[in-house]
Amino acid sequence: MVSAPHEAMHRIFQKEPGLFSRLPEVLGLELPPLASAAPLTVDLTENEPLERRVDTLLRIETQNDGPFLLIVEAQGKKDPGKTASWPYYVTYLNNKYRLPVLLLVICQDHATAAWAARPLTIGLPQWPTVTTRPLVAGPHNMPVITNVAEARKDLALATLSAITHADNPDVDAILKTMSVALRDTPESIAEPFVELIAQGLGNRPAAQQWRNLVAVDLSFYTSPLSEGIRDEGRVEGRVESRAEDVLLILGARGIEITDATRDKVTTCDDPELLRRWLLRAAIVTTSDEIFGEATPADR
């Protein structure tokens, strides 16, 4: 199954096709000035019953040297199958469009980036017939952007940087920089970058940090992510209030609250269960009785 970080690593190039024009220096690549970029179909399926798709495919126009194709592949881990598929993508697209082809691989960890950067050869060891040399962007060469002005200058590059540095020990500072940089950005421009960063962080611990920053620094946005965060906050608030009410009623009735009861009530995150305990708190004689079987008062 395709992961959220995988989608974010290449979809940012669909959102901002011109992003590649800011990467040659990072990748150690000399290119002519680029004029424009446009996405193409990612489907490489032929008439045979075999489906092949690249992650993102762009046609890049240069100012002086003609167009070329850019394949963007997101790679979350080593995959021996890419030894065959990546050279196929390059040769197939070169044959189909009759244009030069570059392969860019986006990674989030050093080991995968080092693996992806190896030349892929087809032929004999002493005479390779075809050699594919991927360009690789990842934590080893992407800049760590913790300057707000720098992030604002190029939001797409800063977003890609945040995604590729998802496991960086300084990721909190990177994300805080992005949240401040996006704060004064029109919502229609900022929203895709907010969502892409959320996708790119996946289920890492930093994902919750980003959600917290969106809830506070970008609280005025109405994106699905920010709305989801606010909904969670409202549910959490109701749960916390109801748990306090359960203990408050028990205490007001003079019923001793055991440590076990207090811990169980305060750690419960089920609003319906807390509602039942609240009703029972008005009639029980000991605090532990609120956890008993359902009674007519529960209904």
Side-chain angles (χ1 to χ4, degrees):
M1 180 180 294
V2 176
S3 67
H6 175 279
E7 289 296 283
M9 284 191 283
H10 73 86
R11 281 185 56 238
I12 188 171
F13 288 87
Q14 297 176 10
K15 158 65 184 169
E16 188 78 13
L19 174 58
F20 181 69
S21 67
R22 280 91 86 187
L23 292 185
E25 184 177 348
V26 168
L27 300 170
L29 180 68
E30 291 187 11
L31 289 175
L34 307 183
S36 64
L40 302 176
T41 177
V42 300
D43 194 345
L44 309 186
T45 306
E46 300 183 78
N47 291 332
E48 304 168 8
L50 179 62
E51 184 176 307
R52 299 182 178 92
R53 291 179 183 271
V54 298
D55 287 334
T56 288
L57 178 62
L58 304 175
R59 177 187 170 107
I60 307 288
E61 299 286 344
T62 67
Q63 294 181 13
N64 304 312
D65 293 1
F68 65 90
L69 301 181
L70 175 67
I71 303 170
V72 183
E73 285 280 287
Q75 198 63 35
K77 61 182 180 180
K78 299 176 184 179
D79 180 358
K82 299 299 183 180
T83 303
S85 58
W86 283 346
Y88 171 83
Y89 297 162
V90 171
T91 54
Y92 173 83
L93 288 169
N94 175 258
N95 183 67
K96 179 178 180 179
Y97 290 96
R98 301 297 180 181
L99 290 175
V101 182
L102 287 180
L103 170 62
L104 172 63
V105 182
I106 311 295
C107 302
Q108 290 180 295
D109 67 90
H110 291 273
T112 303
W115 165 83
R118 298 179 302 169
L120 304 174
T121 60
I122 298 175
L124 300 177
Q126 64 272 33
W127 194 269
T129 305
V130 176
T131 300
T132 301
R133 297 176 57 209
L135 296 164
V136 179
H140 64 294
N141 58 4
M142 287 297 295
V144 175
I145 299 178
T146 55
N147 180 280
V148 175
E150 186 179 354
R152 282 179 177 150
K153 188 183 303 181
D154 195 333
L155 291 173
L157 182 63
T159 297
L160 181 62
S161 176
I163 292 171
T164 54
H165 287 290
D167 293 320
N168 190 306
D170 296 325
V171 68
D172 286 0
I174 297 170
L175 297 178
K176 180 60 178 178
T177 299
M178 281 302 301
S179 70
V180 175
L182 291 168
R183 187 184 300 163
D184 299 325
T185 303
E187 183 175 350
S188 60
I189 296 174
E191 181 179 332
F193 298 126
V194 172
E195 300 292 341
L196 282 165
I197 291 174
Q199 273 192 311
L201 296 175
N203 57 5
R204 293 171 169 82
Q208 186 56 51
Q209 167 71 1
W210 182 241
R211 297 179 70 84
N212 294 340
L213 288 170
V214 172
V216 176
D217 291 350
L218 306 175
S219 59
F220 48 86
Y221 282 173
T222 57
S223 69
L225 175 64
S226 58
E227 286 299 302
I229 291 172
R230 283 191 281 276
D231 287 343
E232 288 179 8
R234 285 189 284 267
V235 171
E236 290 172 1
R238 289 197 299 270
V239 166
E240 183 177 349
S241 176
R242 189 162 288 173
E244 292 174 353
D245 289 344
V246 171
L247 299 177
L248 182 63
I249 290 177
L250 289 172
R253 295 183 59 224
I255 295 176
E256 181 182 358
I257 303 172
T258 66
D259 290 341
T261 295
R262 187 179 301 277
D263 288 344
K264 190 169 183 178
V265 170
T266 56
T267 58
C268 178
D269 59 3
D270 184 340
E272 180 58 28
L273 186 55
L274 284 167
R275 187 190 71 83
R276 293 202 297 269
W277 293 349
L278 181 61
L279 293 173
R280 293 174 186 169
I283 59 174
V284 295
T285 56
T286 66
S287 64
D288 292 341
E289 290 178 9
I290 64 171
F291 309 124
E293 296 298 324
T295 69
D298 298 333
R299 301 187 182 95

Short mmCIF file of all heavy atoms in Angstrom, two decimals, residues 62-107:
data_model
loop_
_atom_site.label_atom_id
_atom_site.label_comp_id
_atom_site.label_asym_id
_atom_site.label_seq_id
_atom_site.Cartn_x
_atom_site.Cartn_y
_atom_site.Cartn_z
N THR A 62 13.43 24.17 -21.24
CA THR A 62 14.57 25.02 -20.91
C THR A 62 14.55 26.25 -21.81
O THR A 62 13.85 26.30 -22.82
CB THR A 62 15.90 24.27 -21.12
OG1 THR A 62 16.08 24.00 -22.52
CG2 THR A 62 15.90 22.96 -20.36
N GLN A 63 15.33 27.24 -21.44
CA GLN A 63 15.34 28.49 -22.20
C GLN A 63 16.08 28.37 -23.52
O GLN A 63 15.75 29.05 -24.49
CB GLN A 63 15.95 29.61 -21.35
CG GLN A 63 15.12 29.96 -20.13
CD GLN A 63 15.71 31.08 -19.31
OE1 GLN A 63 16.62 31.77 -19.77
NE2 GLN A 63 15.20 31.28 -18.10
N ASN A 64 17.10 27.49 -23.54
CA ASN A 64 17.94 27.44 -24.75
C ASN A 64 18.15 26.05 -25.33
O ASN A 64 18.39 25.92 -26.53
CB ASN A 64 19.32 28.06 -24.45
CG ASN A 64 19.23 29.48 -23.92
OD1 ASN A 64 18.52 30.30 -24.49
ND2 ASN A 64 19.93 29.77 -22.82
N ASP A 65 18.08 25.01 -24.51
CA ASP A 65 18.52 23.69 -24.94
C ASP A 65 17.40 22.69 -25.20
O ASP A 65 17.63 21.50 -25.28
CB ASP A 65 19.48 23.09 -23.91
CG ASP A 65 20.79 23.85 -23.84
OD1 ASP A 65 20.92 24.84 -24.59
OD2 ASP A 65 21.66 23.47 -23.04
N GLY A 66 16.17 23.15 -25.33
CA GLY A 66 15.09 22.23 -25.63
C GLY A 66 14.54 21.55 -24.40
O GLY A 66 15.09 21.66 -23.30
N PRO A 67 13.45 20.80 -24.56
CA PRO A 67 12.78 20.16 -23.41
C PRO A 67 13.44 18.85 -22.99
O PRO A 67 14.23 18.25 -23.73
CB PRO A 67 11.37 19.91 -23.94
CG PRO A 67 11.57 19.68 -25.41
CD PRO A 67 12.70 20.60 -25.80
N PHE A 68 13.10 18.41 -21.78
CA PHE A 68 13.46 17.07 -21.34
C PHE A 68 12.37 16.58 -20.40
O PHE A 68 11.51 17.35 -19.95
CB PHE A 68 14.84 17.02 -20.67
CG PHE A 68 14.96 17.79 -19.39
CD1 PHE A 68 14.68 17.19 -18.15
CD2 PHE A 68 15.38 19.11 -19.39
CE1 PHE A 68 14.79 17.89 -16.97
CE2 PHE A 68 15.50 19.83 -18.20
CZ PHE A 68 15.20 19.22 -16.98
N LEU A 69 12.35 15.28 -20.10
CA LEU A 69 11.38 14.68 -19.19
C LEU A 69 12.02 14.44 -17.84
O LEU A 69 13.19 14.04 -17.76
CB LEU A 69 10.85 13.35 -19.74
CG LEU A 69 10.16 13.40 -21.10
CD1 LEU A 69 9.67 12.00 -21.47
CD2 LEU A 69 9.00 14.38 -21.10
N LEU A 70 11.25 14.68 -16.78
CA LEU A 70 11.72 14.43 -15.42
C LEU A 70 10.79 13.43 -14.75
O LEU A 70 9.60 13.67 -14.59
CB LEU A 70 11.74 15.73 -14.61
CG LEU A 70 12.11 15.57 -13.12
CD1 LEU A 70 13.56 15.13 -12.97
CD2 LEU A 70 11.85 16.87 -12.35
N ILE A 71 11.35 12.27 -14.38
CA ILE A 71 10.63 11.28 -13.59
C ILE A 71 10.95 11.56 -12.12
O ILE A 71 12.11 11.67 -11.74
CB ILE A 71 11.08 9.84 -13.91
CG1 ILE A 71 10.91 9.53 -15.40
CG2 ILE A 71 10.33 8.83 -13.06
CD1 ILE A 71 11.58 8.22 -15.81
N VAL A 72 9.91 11.68 -11.28
CA VAL A 72 10.11 11.83 -9.84
C VAL A 72 9.57 10.59 -9.16
O VAL A 72 8.37 10.28 -9.27
CB VAL A 72 9.41 13.09 -9.29
CG1 VAL A 72 9.72 13.23 -7.80
CG2 VAL A 72 9.84 14.34 -10.05
N GLU A 73 10.44 9.87 -8.47
CA GLU A 73 10.07 8.66 -7.75
C GLU A 73 10.29 8.88 -6.25
O GLU A 73 11.36 9.34 -5.84
CB GLU A 73 10.91 7.47 -8.22
CG GLU A 73 10.53 6.93 -9.58
CD GLU A 73 9.31 6.01 -9.49
OE1 GLU A 73 9.44 4.89 -9.00
OE2 GLU A 73 8.23 6.45 -9.92
N ALA A 74 9.29 8.59 -5.44
CA ALA A 74 9.42 8.65 -3.99
C ALA A 74 9.81 7.26 -3.49
O ALA A 74 9.15 6.27 -3.82
CB ALA A 74 8.11 9.09 -3.36
N GLN A 75 10.87 7.18 -2.69
CA GLN A 75 11.36 5.88 -2.25
C GLN A 75 11.52 5.86 -0.74
O GLN A 75 12.38 6.55 -0.19
CB GLN A 75 12.70 5.57 -2.94
CG GLN A 75 13.08 4.11 -2.91
CD GLN A 75 12.09 3.23 -3.67
OE1 GLN A 75 11.55 3.65 -4.69
NE2 GLN A 75 11.85 2.03 -3.18
N GLY A 76 10.67 5.08 -0.06
CA GLY A 76 10.72 5.02 1.39
C GLY A 76 11.67 3.98 1.94
O GLY A 76 12.06 4.05 3.10
N LYS A 77 12.05 3.01 1.11
CA LYS A 77 12.97 1.96 1.55
C LYS A 77 13.61 1.32 0.33
O LYS A 77 13.20 1.55 -0.81
CB LYS A 77 12.23 0.91 2.38
CG LYS A 77 11.13 0.20 1.61
CD LYS A 77 10.39 -0.80 2.50
CE LYS A 77 9.28 -1.50 1.71
NZ LYS A 77 8.55 -2.47 2.55
N LYS A 78 14.62 0.50 0.57
CA LYS A 78 15.28 -0.20 -0.53
C LYS A 78 14.31 -1.18 -1.18
O LYS A 78 13.55 -1.86 -0.50
CB LYS A 78 16.51 -0.95 -0.01
CG LYS A 78 17.57 -0.06 0.62
CD LYS A 78 18.71 -0.88 1.20
CE LYS A 78 19.72 0.00 1.91
NZ LYS A 78 20.83 -0.79 2.50
N ASP A 79 14.35 -1.23 -2.50
CA ASP A 79 13.44 -2.10 -3.25
C ASP A 79 14.21 -2.71 -4.43
O ASP A 79 14.45 -2.02 -5.43
CB ASP A 79 12.24 -1.31 -3.76
CG ASP A 79 11.25 -2.17 -4.54
OD1 ASP A 79 11.52 -3.38 -4.72
OD2 ASP A 79 10.22 -1.63 -4.97
N PRO A 80 14.61 -3.98 -4.33
CA PRO A 80 15.38 -4.60 -5.41
C PRO A 80 14.68 -4.54 -6.76
O PRO A 80 15.32 -4.55 -7.81
CB PRO A 80 15.54 -6.06 -4.93
CG PRO A 80 15.39 -5.99 -3.45
CD PRO A 80 14.40 -4.89 -3.19
N GLY A 81 13.34 -4.44 -6.76
CA GLY A 81 12.61 -4.40 -8.02
C GLY A 81 12.91 -3.16 -8.85
O GLY A 81 12.73 -3.16 -10.08
N LYS A 82 13.37 -2.09 -8.19
CA LYS A 82 13.68 -0.86 -8.92
C LYS A 82 14.88 -1.03 -9.84
O LYS A 82 15.07 -0.26 -10.77
CB LYS A 82 13.93 0.29 -7.94
CG LYS A 82 12.74 0.62 -7.06
CD LYS A 82 11.53 1.05 -7.88
CE LYS A 82 10.38 1.45 -6.99
NZ LYS A 82 9.19 1.85 -7.74
N THR A 83 15.71 -2.04 -9.59
CA THR A 83 16.85 -2.31 -10.46
C THR A 83 16.40 -2.53 -11.89
O THR A 83 17.09 -2.17 -12.85
CB THR A 83 17.63 -3.54 -9.96
OG1 THR A 83 18.04 -3.32 -8.61
CG2 THR A 83 18.85 -3.81 -10.82
N ALA A 84 15.21 -3.13 -12.06
CA ALA A 84 14.67 -3.37 -13.40
C ALA A 84 13.71 -2.27 -13.83
O ALA A 84 13.72 -1.85 -15.00
CB ALA A 84 13.95 -4.72 -13.43
N SER A 85 12.88 -1.76 -12.91
CA SER A 85 11.83 -0.83 -13.33
C SER A 85 12.37 0.56 -13.66
O SER A 85 11.90 1.19 -14.61
CB SER A 85 10.74 -0.73 -12.25
OG SER A 85 11.27 -0.32 -11.01
N TRP A 86 13.33 1.06 -12.92
CA TRP A 86 13.83 2.41 -13.21
C TRP A 86 14.49 2.51 -14.58
O TRP A 86 14.19 3.43 -15.34
CB TRP A 86 14.76 2.89 -12.10
CG TRP A 86 14.02 3.34 -10.86
CD1 TRP A 86 12.67 3.60 -10.76
CD2 TRP A 86 14.57 3.56 -9.57
NE1 TRP A 86 12.35 3.98 -9.48
CE2 TRP A 86 13.49 3.97 -8.71
CE3 TRP A 86 15.84 3.46 -9.02
CZ2 TRP A 86 13.67 4.27 -7.36
CZ3 TRP A 86 16.02 3.77 -7.68
CH2 TRP A 86 14.96 4.17 -6.86
N PRO A 87 15.39 1.57 -14.94
CA PRO A 87 15.92 1.65 -16.31
C PRO A 87 14.82 1.51 -17.36
O PRO A 87 14.89 2.15 -18.43
CB PRO A 87 16.89 0.46 -16.37
CG PRO A 87 17.31 0.24 -14.96
CD PRO A 87 16.08 0.54 -14.14
N TYR A 88 13.80 0.70 -17.07
CA TYR A 88 12.69 0.56 -18.02
C TYR A 88 11.98 1.89 -18.21
O TYR A 88 11.67 2.30 -19.32
CB TYR A 88 11.70 -0.49 -17.54
CG TYR A 88 10.44 -0.52 -18.38
CD1 TYR A 88 10.39 -1.21 -19.58
CD2 TYR A 88 9.31 0.19 -17.97
CE1 TYR A 88 9.24 -1.19 -20.38
CE2 TYR A 88 8.16 0.20 -18.74
CZ TYR A 88 8.13 -0.49 -19.94
OH TYR A 88 6.99 -0.46 -20.72
N TYR A 89 11.67 2.59 -17.10
CA TYR A 89 10.99 3.88 -17.20
C TYR A 89 11.77 4.83 -18.11
O TYR A 89 11.20 5.50 -18.98
CB TYR A 89 10.86 4.54 -15.82
CG TYR A 89 10.03 3.81 -14.81
CD1 TYR A 89 10.14 4.11 -13.45
CD2 TYR A 89 9.12 2.82 -15.18
CE1 TYR A 89 9.37 3.47 -12.50
CE2 TYR A 89 8.35 2.16 -14.24
CZ TYR A 89 8.49 2.48 -12.89
OH TYR A 89 7.73 1.83 -11.96
N VAL A 90 13.07 4.90 -17.88
CA VAL A 90 13.91 5.86 -18.62
C VAL A 90 13.94 5.52 -20.11
O VAL A 90 13.73 6.39 -20.96
CB VAL A 90 15.34 5.88 -18.03
CG1 VAL A 90 16.27 6.70 -18.92
CG2 VAL A 90 15.32 6.45 -16.61
N THR A 91 14.18 4.26 -20.42
CA THR A 91 14.29 3.89 -21.83
C THR A 91 12.93 3.95 -22.54
O THR A 91 12.84 4.37 -23.70
CB THR A 91 14.89 2.48 -21.97
OG1 THR A 91 14.11 1.55 -21.19
CG2 THR A 91 16.33 2.47 -21.48
N TYR A 92 11.87 3.56 -21.85
CA TYR A 92 10.54 3.60 -22.45
C TYR A 92 10.14 5.03 -22.78
O TYR A 92 9.66 5.33 -23.88
CB TYR A 92 9.52 2.97 -21.52
CG TYR A 92 8.09 3.12 -22.00
CD1 TYR A 92 7.55 2.24 -22.94
CD2 TYR A 92 7.29 4.16 -21.54
CE1 TYR A 92 6.25 2.39 -23.40
CE2 TYR A 92 5.99 4.32 -21.99
CZ TYR A 92 5.47 3.44 -22.92
OH TYR A 92 4.19 3.60 -23.38
N LEU A 93 10.33 5.93 -21.82
CA LEU A 93 9.92 7.31 -22.03
C LEU A 93 10.78 8.00 -23.08
O LEU A 93 10.29 8.82 -23.87
CB LEU A 93 9.98 8.08 -20.71
CG LEU A 93 8.90 7.70 -19.71
CD1 LEU A 93 9.19 8.30 -18.33
CD2 LEU A 93 7.53 8.16 -20.20
N ASN A 94 12.05 7.65 -23.10
CA ASN A 94 12.92 8.21 -24.14
C ASN A 94 12.47 7.77 -25.52
O ASN A 94 12.44 8.56 -26.48
CB ASN A 94 14.37 7.78 -23.89
CG ASN A 94 15.30 8.23 -24.99
OD1 ASN A 94 15.68 7.42 -25.86
ND2 ASN A 94 15.68 9.49 -24.98
N ASN A 95 12.05 6.50 -25.62
CA ASN A 95 11.58 5.98 -26.90
C ASN A 95 10.22 6.57 -27.28
O ASN A 95 9.96 6.89 -28.44
CB ASN A 95 11.48 4.45 -26.83
CG ASN A 95 11.06 3.85 -28.16
OD1 ASN A 95 11.80 3.90 -29.13
ND2 ASN A 95 9.87 3.25 -28.18
N LYS A 96 9.33 6.76 -26.29
CA LYS A 96 7.99 7.26 -26.56
C LYS A 96 7.98 8.74 -26.94
O LYS A 96 7.31 9.14 -27.90
CB LYS A 96 7.10 7.05 -25.33
CG LYS A 96 5.67 7.58 -25.50
CD LYS A 96 4.82 7.29 -24.27
CE LYS A 96 3.39 7.83 -24.46
NZ LYS A 96 2.54 7.53 -23.27
N TYR A 97 8.74 9.55 -26.20
CA TYR A 97 8.69 11.00 -26.42
C TYR A 97 9.87 11.53 -27.23
O TYR A 97 9.87 12.68 -27.65
CB TYR A 97 8.66 11.73 -25.07
CG TYR A 97 7.35 11.56 -24.32
CD1 TYR A 97 7.21 10.57 -23.34
CD2 TYR A 97 6.26 12.37 -24.58
CE1 TYR A 97 6.01 10.42 -22.64
CE2 TYR A 97 5.06 12.23 -23.88
CZ TYR A 97 4.95 11.25 -22.92
OH TYR A 97 3.77 11.10 -22.22
N ARG A 98 10.90 10.69 -27.41
CA ARG A 98 12.11 11.12 -28.13
C ARG A 98 12.72 12.35 -27.48
O ARG A 98 13.13 13.30 -28.14
CB ARG A 98 11.79 11.40 -29.60
CG ARG A 98 11.21 10.23 -30.36
CD ARG A 98 12.18 9.06 -30.42
NE ARG A 98 11.61 7.91 -31.15
CZ ARG A 98 12.24 6.76 -31.33
NH1 ARG A 98 13.45 6.58 -30.83
NH2 ARG A 98 11.67 5.78 -31.99
N LEU A 99 12.77 12.32 -26.15
CA LEU A 99 13.35 13.42 -25.39
C LEU A 99 14.31 12.85 -24.34
O LEU A 99 14.16 11.71 -23.90
CB LEU A 99 12.25 14.20 -24.66
CG LEU A 99 11.30 15.05 -25.51
CD1 LEU A 99 10.20 15.63 -24.62
CD2 LEU A 99 12.03 16.15 -26.24
N PRO A 100 15.30 13.64 -23.95
CA PRO A 100 16.18 13.21 -22.85
C PRO A 100 15.35 12.99 -21.58
O PRO A 100 14.34 13.67 -21.36
CB PRO A 100 17.15 14.38 -22.68
CG PRO A 100 17.09 15.13 -23.96
CD PRO A 100 15.70 14.96 -24.48
N VAL A 101 15.77 12.07 -20.74
CA VAL A 101 15.03 11.72 -19.52
C VAL A 101 15.96 11.78 -18.31
O VAL A 101 17.06 11.22 -18.34
CB VAL A 101 14.41 10.31 -19.63
CG1 VAL A 101 13.61 9.99 -18.37
CG2 VAL A 101 13.54 10.19 -20.87
N LEU A 102 15.51 12.45 -17.25
CA LEU A 102 16.20 12.44 -15.97
C LEU A 102 15.32 11.72 -14.96
O LEU A 102 14.09 11.85 -14.99
CB LEU A 102 16.48 13.86 -15.48
CG LEU A 102 17.57 14.66 -16.18
CD1 LEU A 102 17.70 16.04 -15.54
CD2 LEU A 102 18.90 13.93 -16.13
N LEU A 103 15.95 10.97 -14.06
CA LEU A 103 15.25 10.26 -12.99
C LEU A 103 15.67 10.87 -11.66
O LEU A 103 16.85 10.85 -11.31
CB LEU A 103 15.59 8.77 -13.03
CG LEU A 103 15.13 7.93 -11.83
CD1 LEU A 103 13.61 7.94 -11.70
CD2 LEU A 103 15.64 6.49 -11.95
N LEU A 104 14.72 11.43 -10.93
CA LEU A 104 14.96 12.01 -9.61
C LEU A 104 14.26 11.16 -8.56
O LEU A 104 13.06 10.91 -8.65
CB LEU A 104 14.43 13.45 -9.55
CG LEU A 104 14.44 14.14 -8.18
CD1 LEU A 104 15.87 14.30 -7.66
CD2 LEU A 104 13.74 15.50 -8.26
N VAL A 105 15.01 10.72 -7.55
CA VAL A 105 14.46 9.90 -6.47
C VAL A 105 14.51 10.71 -5.17
O VAL A 105 15.56 11.25 -4.80
CB VAL A 105 15.26 8.59 -6.30
CG1 VAL A 105 14.64 7.72 -5.20
CG2 VAL A 105 15.32 7.83 -7.62
N ILE A 106 13.35 10.79 -4.48
CA ILE A 106 13.26 11.53 -3.23
C ILE A 106 13.22 10.53 -2.07
O ILE A 106 12.41 9.60 -2.08
CB ILE A 106 11.98 12.41 -3.17
CG1 ILE A 106 11.85 13.24 -4.46
CG2 ILE A 106 12.01 13.31 -1.94
CD1 ILE A 106 12.95 14.25 -4.67
N CYS A 107 14.11 10.71 -1.09
CA CYS A 107 14.21 9.78 0.04
C CYS A 107 14.14 10.55 1.36
O CYS A 107 14.39 11.75 1.40
CB CYS A 107 15.52 9.00 -0.02
SG CYS A 107 15.76 8.05 -1.54
#
